[in-house]
Amino acid sequence: MTDRISDIWGERTPYAQGGEWPDRVDIHLLDGVRPDEVRWVQSACVLCSNGCGMDIGVRDGKIVGVRGRAVDRVNHGRLGPKGLFGWQANAAADRLTTPQIRRDGQLVDASWDEAMTVIADRSRQILAESGPLAMGFYTSGQLFLEDYYALAVLARGGIGTPHLDGNTRLCTATAGAALKESFGCDGDPGSLTDIDACDTLFAVGHNLAETQTVLWMRMLDRLHGPDRPKLVVVDPRRTKVAELADVHLAIRSGTNVALLNAIQHELIEHDWIDHEFVDSHTVEVGRLSKMVAAYPPERAAQICGVDAADIRRAAEVIGSAERLVSTCLQGVYQSHQATAAACQVNNITLLRGMIGKPGCTVFQMNGQPTAENTRETGANGDLTATRNWQNPAHIAELARLWGVPEQQIPSWGPPAHIMQILRYAEQGSLRFLWVTGTNPMVSLPDLARIGDILRRPELFLVVTDAFPTETTELADVVLPAALWGEKTGTFTNYDRTVHLSEQAVEPPGRARSDLAIFLDYAERLGLTRTDGSPLLPWRTPQEVFGAFAEATRGRLCDYTGLSYDKLRGGSGVQWPCDADHPDGTERLYTDHTFWSGVDVCEDYGHDLLTGATQERKDYAALHTEGRAIFKAADYVEPAEPVDDDYPLLFTTGRTAYHFHTRTKTARAPELQHAAPEAWVEISPADAARLGVAEGDLVAVESRRGRMQARARVSGVREGVVFAPFHYGSRAGSGHAANAVTQPTWDPVSKQPLFKTAAVRLEKLADSGGVPAPAPSTTASAPVEVTA
């Protein structure tokens, strides 16, 4: 196999439109280990949202490697660098293997009984003194479906708190919000096989080459095939995706809505519309047409900082497509007017009638491997099985499923999001916070404030993790968790493919699965159903899966036809999977009937500008009755524009070699060596103006904080400063990009805005001839600077 650190995407296997993606099995084993010497255990990768099928290689009770599963529909045997090498973190020397309790200011080892007794006693005390609103839970996008469902029932049905969210709030809350606004319910409508069938790709704020390396391999193989699809890319950086684009729109950060309105203007102006579809299967097109009429390409060009001619070219490519796949991720979701922008991508799909057919879809992408499950199970800002918190019938269904009174389930308002939860902790009303499998001291915005909140002596902080992190350092109790490969469970990717991951090895020391921890906690709190039986009666992941499947019966995300046995041995299966669709469902909305009826929809919608929640009567007035909804939005300027003091726009992002806050990938030698430290990217023009050369030490400062790292002169847009967000204080002093970002969020999805902070940049020291520690194989590659 080629060096998959320097050659991230591996060899090409081109194929034609309508063909099947050829298999290519990637494998990596420890030196000296042969494939025939290991026991292979079925699993899937948890280091991006693609959900690539893989087998775990086990010898002498230890993980010794992985290989891609050729039979799997998602990856056809391929693995990206994180999948090939990231598993080594399981054997890292600094794994947490025993519980810890803070005594006299220090974390000291304790037994499980001691640790859980402390947590349960403090929980009972706080519940008695302050009630359920004083309790909060913040989870991950990397646990399993079974873990999330147990937590959702525990928190919402047992304790009765609305304060349950996931760090998926930071990556894909907008995906779920936009799908609900446009189609009535969460769940991407398309399939990965639509990449095989399309003739045009439209990537908005989505660096596919690094965030989802195997998905980019699939697209690359089409782009190298005999009938190359057209490619339109919107990104302020010259990514590897942008380099291959027919049209690259390097817009100013935060101006997505203006650009997308201009593209819709052109589609309508040139009558590149599927009128039969729009007239029969959508509502509110008149309102949309009136809104985008005010956005000719010239106006958008002025706002976005790109040529009007390029906007017209992009619109023509999209308008002439016969099979269009559109996709977006953090450049939309973490930017200004996030949900409004994501809805405009949906609108383009609807105007062209590009949905429910092979090669025709929009992917509102996920950023984390099990993000879809946090939304489906109700472990973030949604209710279980895409139920509507404003619909009393949906609350009654959950109450019957869980055996609790309806009033026990908090439904007087929307579930709380993490920034709101932390605000309550800052004010003192929230006194207990349990953080599971995530590292908010690196990933949340405005880190100085986050640190002040988590250090408050009035806040009792529990952290479950597999490794010491910047967040475990602040905890009152630390619980050691089993990782992927050390427990059994299921998870679902963005095209609704469900995979089973079998336990391959035992967890180290006294580490336990998250499910076991939640079941223990519920039992110690004495949480019961109205009949006196345990609220969480399960003892195995398989039992939890069955209970969740029953909770999805009749909903769009129906799992009732799925079981562990059905998921063993072959490929993943796409939901809905039920009696009518026993082998799963490749595409939603093939009959162009959407999940938007007033009695079944997941949400009644919002005002995209203010976030104001619509009531049932407002939604009913749209007369959706199974139709999709055009959601129009005017462009507004960011709340923190650049000025003379802070003249540059700061944006964060990812590299192909690390995942989230590097908790796992920094412990994989190949990945850590490829990107060992943070860096800061600036354009050649900005570098020349500021007197900065490649490798110089620079400081980036906002109104909230400061980071410092070595400069990479890259292909980023002039006026934009980019830094990877993966690095925290444990990686080096001043490396945290989120010390700079602003604590504001999208009004609808409540997703923090990491892409549009106003900053200034200062040179601190010469490079001494040492280049920045940024990869040269990705969008962070250096560019030649000429005088």
Side-chain angles (χ1 to χ4, degrees):
M1 190 176 73
T2 58
D3 178 0
R4 292 295 303 284
I5 293 296
S6 61
D7 184 3
I8 295 171
W9 306 283
E11 64 185 25
R12 299 277 54 77
T13 54
Y15 66 116
Q17 182 180 8
E20 184 171 333
W21 193 22
D23 295 342
R24 187 195 82 196
V25 176
D26 295 342
I27 184 170
H28 175 65
L29 294 166
L30 292 179
D31 289 345
V33 178
R34 299 196 315 269
D36 61 354
E37 295 177 330
V38 304
R39 174 173 61 91
W40 295 104
V41 179
Q42 180 177 342
S43 184
C45 183
V46 290
L47 289 171
C48 88
S49 66
N50 218 49
C52 296
M54 65 159 55
D55 292 326
I56 303 171
V58 179
R59 190 176 74 172
D60 299 330
K62 299 183 183 302
I63 299 176
V64 294
V66 293
R67 70 180 180 190
R69 291 176 61 82
V71 70
D72 198 88
R73 64 177 307 276
V74 171
N75 58 318
H76 291 233
R78 292 162 185 77
L79 297 173
K82 291 191 289 288
L84 281 168
F85 304 113
W87 55 270
Q88 296 170 95
N90 284 52
D94 62 344
R95 279 290 299 271
L96 296 174
T97 59
T98 190
Q100 296 176 310
I101 298 174
R102 189 170 298 278
R103 292 196 175 110
D104 299 323
Q106 300 295 319
L107 286 170
V108 297
D109 289 351
S111 69
W112 272 104
D113 185 62
E114 289 173 309
M116 295 304 294
T117 297
V118 168
I119 295 170
D121 287 350
R122 182 59 66 92
S123 298
R124 278 191 290 268
Q125 176 191 350
I126 291 171
L127 284 167
E129 294 174 353
S130 304
L133 295 183
M135 304 286 290
F137 299 84
Y138 184 47
T139 188
S140 178
Q142 298 167 68
L143 308 187
F144 289 168
L145 177 154
E146 294 79 359
D147 307 322
Y148 296 131
Y149 186 56
L151 177 59
V153 178
L154 186 160
R156 300 201 195 281
I159 292 173
T161 179
H163 302 148
L164 167 61
D165 201 11
N167 69 6
T168 49
R169 178 69 56 186
L170 314 180
C171 67
T172 58
T174 301
L179 292 166
K180 287 182 278 189
E181 295 290 334
S182 298
F183 307 133
C185 190
D186 195 355
D188 266 321
S191 166
L192 276 163
T193 55
D194 290 324
I195 305 299
D196 310 337
C198 72
D199 61 35
T200 305
L201 294 162
F202 181 34
V204 188
H206 188 184
N207 182 7
L208 292 140
E210 297 186 60
T211 58
Q212 290 148 307
T213 53
V214 174
L215 175 60
W216 180 236
M217 293 175 204
R218 194 171 198 145
M219 293 183 177
L220 270 178
D221 285 350
R222 279 297 320 279
L223 291 166
H224 283 78
D227 42 13
R228 178 190 189 278
K230 295 288 182 67
L231 175 62
V232 177
V233 174
V234 180
D235 201 306
R237 299 171 74 210
R238 187 169 172 77
T239 65
K240 295 297 182 183
V241 185
E243 288 179 4
L244 294 182
D246 295 275
V247 184
H248 174 206
L249 298 166
I251 66 171
R252 183 166 64 92
S253 300
T255 62
N256 291 319
V257 168
L259 173 72
L260 295 165
N261 278 352
I263 290 175
Q264 292 175 92
H265 173 283
E266 291 297 282
L267 295 179
I268 294 171
E269 180 76 11
H270 293 277
D271 200 28
W272 293 323
I273 307 297
D274 185 336
H275 290 285
E276 182 180 355
F277 172 83
V278 169
D279 293 344
S280 301
H281 303 293
T282 70
V283 297
E284 295 287 274
V285 69
R287 185 167 181 266
L288 176 73
S289 298
K290 183 177 179 180
M291 177 70 74
V292 302
Y295 288 87
E298 288 75 16
R299 181 187 178 197
Q302 187 175 17
I303 293 170
C304 302
V306 296
D307 290 339
D310 288 338
I311 297 176
R312 286 194 169 90
R313 285 178 57 219
E316 183 176 5
V317 170
I318 293 166
S320 60
E322 295 183 4
R323 296 180 184 271
L324 171 68
V325 170
S326 300
T327 174
C328 50
L329 193 58
Q330 310 302 22
V332 172
Y333 303 161
Q334 295 180 343
S335 191
H336 181 53
Q337 293 187 275
T339 305
C343 285
Q344 303 320 300
V345 181
N346 291 344
N347 288 348
I348 290 169
T349 298
L350 294 172
L351 285 171
R352 300 281 357 267
M354 296 290 176
I355 195 165
K357 301 176 289 188
C360 303
T361 195
V362 58
F363 283 117
Q364 297 290 348
M365 283 287 177
N366 296 340
Q368 292 195 74
T370 65
E372 189 71 30
N373 299 123
T374 66
R375 307 201 308 254
E376 296 166 3
T377 59
N380 64 353
D382 300 296
L383 292 187
T384 298
T386 66
R387 286 179 171 85
N388 188 338
W389 65 269
Q390 289 181 279
N391 189 328
H394 290 191
I395 302 303
E397 289 172 3
L398 286 181
R400 287 195 297 272
L401 284 163
W402 297 345
V404 299
E406 292 177 30
Q407 62 269 24
Q408 176 71 10
I409 301 172
S411 59
W412 59 86
H417 60 95
I418 184 56
M419 300 303 288
Q420 185 180 39
I421 291 170
L422 289 173
R423 177 60 175 155
Y424 293 145
E426 188 174 44
Q427 294 172 327
S429 62
L430 189 128
R431 299 170 52 196
F432 176 101
L433 181 63
W434 191 333
V435 175
T436 305
T438 186
N439 187 10
M441 278 301 297
V442 175
S443 60
L444 287 178
D446 192 9
L447 284 179
R449 176 176 172 236
I450 301 303
D452 289 343
I453 294 170
L454 296 184
R455 291 186 185 93
R456 285 177 60 88
E458 300 87 354
L459 179 68
F460 187 78
L461 179 64
V462 179
V463 179
T464 306
D465 212 307
F467 302 99
T469 68
E470 290 85 348
T471 304
T472 63
E473 292 173 1
L474 306 182
D476 294 288
V477 179
V478 176
L479 302 177
L483 282 173
W484 159 95
E486 299 164 0
K487 61 181 184 178
T488 294
T490 55
F491 50 96
T492 310
N493 79 345
Y494 55 83
D495 90 329
R496 298 170 284 105
T497 297
V498 185
H499 281 111
L500 174 67
S501 180
E502 303 269 22
Q503 182 174 352
V505 297
E506 292 297 322
R510 289 187 281 166
R512 289 183 180 176
S513 72
D514 296 289
L515 176 60
I517 295 169
F518 293 143
L519 294 178
D520 186 1
Y521 179 60
E523 184 175 359
R524 288 172 185 267
L525 284 189
L527 299 178
T528 61
R529 303 178 178 226
T530 52
D531 63 5
S533 64
L535 178 71
L536 306 185
W538 319 297
R539 286 297 172 263
T540 67
Q542 192 163 350
E543 291 174 348
V544 183
F545 183 86
F548 173 72
E550 184 56 36
T552 68
R553 184 178 296 276
R555 299 298 298 165
L556 181 61
C557 61
D558 197 319
Y559 276 67
T560 52
L562 285 171
S563 66
Y564 278 24
D565 286 341
K566 190 176 186 69
L567 292 168
R568 286 189 170 111
S571 176
V573 179
Q574 291 173 280
W575 66 249
C577 180
D578 55 19
D580 294 330
H581 308 90
D583 297 319
T585 305
E586 189 169 23
R587 293 177 187 86
L588 304 179
Y589 313 131
T590 54
D591 62 355
H592 294 159
T593 300
F594 295 88
W595 200 263
S596 59
V598 69
D599 292 321
V600 300
C601 70
E602 186 178 359
D603 199 283
Y604 295 142
H606 300 77
D607 180 279
L608 297 185
L609 179 60
T610 66
T613 302
Q614 292 181 172
E615 297 180 0
R616 181 185 175 98
K617 60 180 177 59
D618 305 314
Y619 187 81
L622 295 174
H623 299 291
T624 54
E625 297 165 352
R627 295 179 176 88
I629 307 164
F630 283 106
K631 300 286 292 197
D634 208 359
Y635 169 74
V636 295
E637 287 287 331
E640 187 176 69
V642 296
D643 56 25
D644 291 342
D645 290 331
Y646 298 94
L648 300 168
L649 274 173
F650 182 69
T651 185
T652 67
R654 288 146 176 76
T655 179
Y657 301 111
H658 283 304
F659 181 71
H660 219 244
T661 62
R662 299 169 54 254
T663 307
K664 298 174 186 173
T665 54
R667 292 168 170 87
E670 294 88 348
L671 301 175
Q672 175 63 4
H673 179 74
E677 300 175 23
W679 67 91
V680 170
E681 293 180 34
I682 60 173
S683 71
D686 289 327
R689 180 174 53 82
L690 295 168
V692 173
E694 168 69 29
D696 287 351
L697 183 65
V698 299
V700 179
E701 185 175 15
S702 72
R703 291 174 174 85
R704 292 156 296 280
R706 171 185 174 103
M707 75 167 290
Q708 63 183 46
R710 297 200 172 272
R712 164 57 49 87
V713 182
S714 76
V716 70
R717 175 192 167 91
E718 183 177 353
V720 172
V721 176
F722 170 89
F725 89 102
H726 309 289
Y727 303 84
S729 61
R730 293 175 69 89
S733 177
H735 273 17
N738 278 324
V740 178
T741 51
Q742 54 177 325
T744 56
W745 51 83
D746 178 71
V748 179
S749 68
K750 308 301 188 289
Q751 183 157 349
L753 310 182
F754 295 100
K755 303 293 189 184
T756 55
V759 299
R760 56 192 174 210
L761 187 143
E762 173 190 6
K763 177 178 173 178
L764 301 178
D766 289 333
S767 68
V770 178
S776 60
T777 53
T778 65
S780 302
V783 298
E784 188 107 6
V785 179
T786 57

